[in-house]
Amino acid sequence: MKLFNKCLLAGMTALALLGAAQAAGAQETDQVGRAPYLESLKGKKVIFVPISQGMDLNQAWVMVWQRHAARYGFSLEVRDPNGDTNAGIRAMQGAIAEKPDLIIVQNPDVQTYARLLKQAQAAGIKVLQVNMQSATQTDSYVGNDWIEMGRLEMGELAKHCTGPNAVSHKVVWLAGVQTGAANIYMRTGIDEVLKANPELQLVSDQPADYISEKARQITETVLQQHPDLCGIMGIWDNAEVGAGAAVAAAGKQDQVTIVTNGAGAATGCESIKNGLLDVIFNFNAPIQGEIAAQQISELLQHPDRKAGSEKTIFFGPITRVDKTNATGRNCWKPEDIK
Amino acid sequence: MPGSGKSDDRRLGFKASQEVVVVAISVVLFVVFSATLNNFLSQGNIIAILKNVSILGTLAVGMGFVVVGRGIDLTMVAVMVVGVAFSIWVSTWGIDFTLAVICGAILVAAIGLFTGVMVAVAEVPPIFATLAIASSVYGSGRIVFASDVLYAPPDIAWLKFVGNGSVLGVPMSVVIFGAVAAMMGLFLRKTRFGRLVYATGDNPNAARTTGLPTRPIIVTQYVISALIAFTAGIIMTGLVTGIDTRLYNSSLIYDVLLVVVLGGIGLSGGQGGVRNVIAGTILVGILTNGMTILNFSYTSQNLIKSVILLGALAIDAIINPRDEQTSQSGDI
């Protein structure tokens, strides 16, 4: 019997030790800070007010954020005003009234939401602006460095149109919506390059309003005035295909360099491949979306921090895409992101 | 009906004068721009002007047709973008693009039919019916297509020809606009149906009382205008390789109205024709071309166009006054 008791005791001791070891092991593998991170995101409410969900960049952002929201248990609601600024104001007012933990906003211009963003922050709602800034700076901005974008695009044209072999020094700036942050800041970058290259001639500065047919019409008219045009720069690849179509119709694809920027969707790469566009400065919307997703996490983790008390800016990477690298992750498709 | 009485003779005289004013302004602008702007008076630029107004002009022919019948069709841009986007969407299922375009045309005709029934049978005032239907059509499109911009499949020979081809040096887009305008002109002036459209527009109640089939006439008008809008959309797709459905949110529909009213087709119906549409289209074309060359800002371009539209509406109100008879016989 003694032997049996000893064996039982030894067995129980071994089990207890094993249990303790397991408990200790569990403690060691619990990632530091993970539990409070998960806790801080769970059940939070995020509202996104875009310009329009019909744009490639918006679709990419939302797909990334929805994945993030599903993984960490917060809700993401999209209030799409579909390009209507008045509907956007109403969407913003509605969002502020609902007091979510975070509002993400893509501003149609620098002014329209400026007061609403102040109101949101005064109501204790944190605000993350994406890609298009307002005159009001909020907790965070994730998006392009648009001044740099203007410099890059006009710099590309300066390379082509100031050399000894350049057909002329004439360039065109096909703007988008002139009151938009992207346009205003790009213009600063453009002017810097124009100042540094005084021989460059900006022969037309017309807004195509992000519409390809308008870009085509302007380009067609300008080409009649300046048959020796050297370069065109624009603001969205989907609009500048119109400029490309006008250049192609005039048989001047070898003469006129068309530079624009875009979210990196496969359609842009197709436009490069079929010769409608030459260079796209790609701000890769899925990558932008990932940066913004981390910023969402950051803002939700600190509910005690007062809205607007800290201001952060994240400029995403910009890749120069031409015929040589119009492949792979420079050309995403919606199904790649899902 | 036009020419059927003394008052109509007087009205015809005024109508002619508005058209003459528009043509005269066009001529003055043309001369001034030719003298002051480099390369304005070049063959290339004249073709560019025509090419740039071909879509606007085509849409205006459809709108003019409806306005003659005392209607208004604010669905045209929505129908144009959604109809073509639908065709492109259908072609992504592996269906031949030409067949997909036919599917799009059928959808568009069905929308036109529905609009016509709402106006003619349900008797919803055209401005409200078409405003609401435009919004529904565009909204439905947005739900189905996800993206605003849809690209047509590459290597469709006939579509490339529509965009880049030419006949005797005239771009295909201009040829199509000319063909649509010519057919409409002949239809309105030379067919019995065309004359019935004028009669209905002139006084719908009188037309109905005298036994004219006003309802089928109105329904047909909206079906035809929808199909013309679709044609304009196909021209656009040929020109820029795809269709941008956000055009619905642009001022295009107002530009179309501008062309129609400016050209001298009175909103009170029963008068005017394709010649007026062409006069209005050419003026807007010269103006836009000149403003683009002069590098006018977008805001000032819109301001100038809006002032001209307002002026044209005021002239229309003066020369086609609303009287007891017109207000009783329905308003747009």
Side-chain angles (χ1 to χ4, degrees), chain B residues 73-98:
Chain B
D73 190 358
L74 301 180
T75 67
M76 287 194 87
V77 173
V79 163
M80 170 177 85
V81 296
V82 171
V84 176
F86 177 78
S87 300
I88 295 174
W89 182 65
V90 167
S91 75
T92 60
W93 306 344
I95 291 171
D96 177 60
F97 184 67
T98 310

Side-chain angles (χ1 to χ4, degrees), chain A residues 138-149:
Chain A
T138 56
D139 301 85
S140 186
Y141 167 75
V142 174
N144 268 322
D145 173 353
W146 286 107
I147 291 185
E148 177 66 7
M149 187 64 92

Side-chain angles (χ1 to χ4, degrees), chain B:
Chain B
M1 286 179 78
S4 59
K6 196 181 169 190
S7 66
D8 286 311
D9 287 338
R10 194 178 67 231
R11 207 185 292 165
L12 273 176
F14 276 121
K15 184 185 68 180
S17 73
Q18 184 178 348
E19 199 182 322
V20 167
V21 167
V22 168
V23 172
I25 295 172
S26 305
V27 171
V28 169
L29 277 177
F30 191 83
V31 171
V32 171
F33 287 156
S34 302
T36 54
L37 302 176
N38 282 336
N39 293 337
F40 179 84
L41 194 62
S42 63
Q43 191 192 348
N45 194 52
I46 306 295
I47 288 176
I49 291 175
L50 292 173
K51 204 170 164 185
N52 287 346
V53 295
S54 57
I55 292 163
L56 181 68
T58 307
L59 286 168
V61 168
M63 180 70 88
F65 180 50
V66 176
V67 172
V68 163
R70 199 184 280 210
I72 192 165
D73 190 358
L74 301 180
T75 67
M76 287 194 87
V77 173
V79 163
M80 170 177 85
V81 296
V82 171
V84 176
F86 177 78
S87 300
I88 295 174
W89 182 65
V90 167
S91 75
T92 60
W93 306 344
I95 291 171
D96 177 60
F97 184 67
T98 310
L99 194 65
V101 167
I102 295 167
C103 292
I106 293 167
L107 173 79
V108 155
I111 296 169
L113 184 73
F114 178 71
T115 309
V117 168
M118 289 300 283
V119 172
V121 182
E123 296 191 355
V124 181
I127 194 161
F128 300 120
T130 58
L131 198 61
I133 293 167
S135 202
S136 320
V137 168
Y138 174 66
S140 313
R142 261 304 304 275
I143 291 166
V144 174
F145 311 133
S147 270
D148 285 345
V149 183
L150 286 97
Y151 289 92
D155 306 322
I156 306 293
W158 67 263
L159 193 64
K160 278 187 174 173
F161 184 63
V162 168
N164 286 330
S166 60
V167 177
L168 304 170
V170 183
M172 267 314 285
S173 53
V174 181
V175 172
I176 297 171
F177 165 45
V180 171
M183 279 194 290
M184 181 57 74
L186 288 172
F187 182 70
L188 276 174
R189 294 284 165 197
K190 302 290 177 199
T191 65
R192 180 175 295 179
F193 191 97
R195 306 313 297 173
L196 297 185
V197 170
Y198 279 102
T200 310
D202 197 42
N203 192 334
N205 284 347
R208 192 179 297 169
T209 313
T210 49
L212 299 185
T214 51
R215 281 179 174 154
I217 289 169
I218 292 169
V219 172
T220 312
Q221 276 182 298
Y222 285 97
V223 172
I224 291 177
S225 96
L227 287 169
I228 290 175
F230 186 70
T231 308
I234 294 292
I235 299 176
M236 188 177 285
T237 310
L239 285 170
V240 295
T241 69
I243 192 91
D244 184 347
T245 56
R246 282 175 311 121
L247 265 177
Y248 170 74
N249 289 328
S250 73
S251 61
L252 184 57
I253 193 74
Y254 304 109
D255 291 346
V256 173
L257 267 180
L258 168 70
V259 164
V260 169
V261 176
L262 192 66
I265 300 184
L267 288 174
S268 52
Q271 55 193 301
V274 172
R275 214 174 56 191
N276 302 77
V277 171
I278 291 171
T281 305
I282 287 173
L283 174 56
V284 170
I286 293 171
L287 194 66
T288 311
N289 186 272
M291 288 194 296
T292 305
I293 294 171
L294 287 165
N295 215 5
F296 275 24
S297 76
Y298 180 59
T299 318
S300 40
Q301 288 199 17
N302 273 348
L303 178 69
I304 291 168
K305 279 196 286 190
S306 309
V307 168
I308 291 174
L309 176 60
L310 204 59
L313 285 169
I315 293 170
D316 175 56
I318 293 165
I319 66 176
N320 300 308
R322 304 294 167 92
D323 54 23
E324 202 178 330
Q325 184 197 3
T326 54
S327 50
Q328 272 178 0
S329 57
D331 212 333
I332 55 160

Side-chain angles (χ1 to χ4, degrees), chain A residues 44-55:
Chain A
K44 292 278 169 68
K45 182 175 180 176
V46 179
I47 294 178
F48 174 40
V49 180
I51 293 175
S52 166
Q53 273 310 107
M55 293 193 276

